[in-house]
Amino acid sequence: MPIYDFKCRKCGKTFEDLVRLGETPNCPSCGADDPERLFSAAAGISTTTTRERSTKVARRKASGIKREQDHAQREYERKYLRDES
């Protein structure tokens, strides 16, 4: 059951409630039975632009991690060769 945001048409109070599909809750403040369902901020729409942006951020982070791992590997090999020679 999803959580939806609602706004009472009678008293104007906003509230959220866990409801089944097709059901509408009563206002907890005034008891009105016809609240308006609001678009939740967490229910964003994924578009090509947002997917590309998040992919770019993930690749940038992965690139930084890869650079650090490569640097650590080179340092390890350099010290190993120096100690074993």
Side-chain angles (χ1 to χ4, degrees), residues 11-68:
C11 69
K13 177 176 173 56
T14 57
F15 62 97
E16 61 182 32
D17 200 358
L18 184 67
V19 295
R20 294 179 186 195
L21 293 175
E23 292 184 359
T24 55
N26 293 340
C27 176
S29 181
C30 69
D33 62 353
D34 188 28
E36 174 186 5
R37 195 169 103 190
L38 302 174
F39 184 74
S40 299
I45 298 172
S46 178
T47 62
T48 302
T49 305
T50 58
R51 282 191 299 270
E52 288 173 354
R53 188 177 304 140
S54 61
T55 302
K56 188 183 295 184
V57 169
R59 284 184 179 157
R60 190 177 309 131
K61 286 181 182 179
S63 172
I65 292 170
K66 175 82 168 108
R67 236 185 345 263
E68 289 177 14

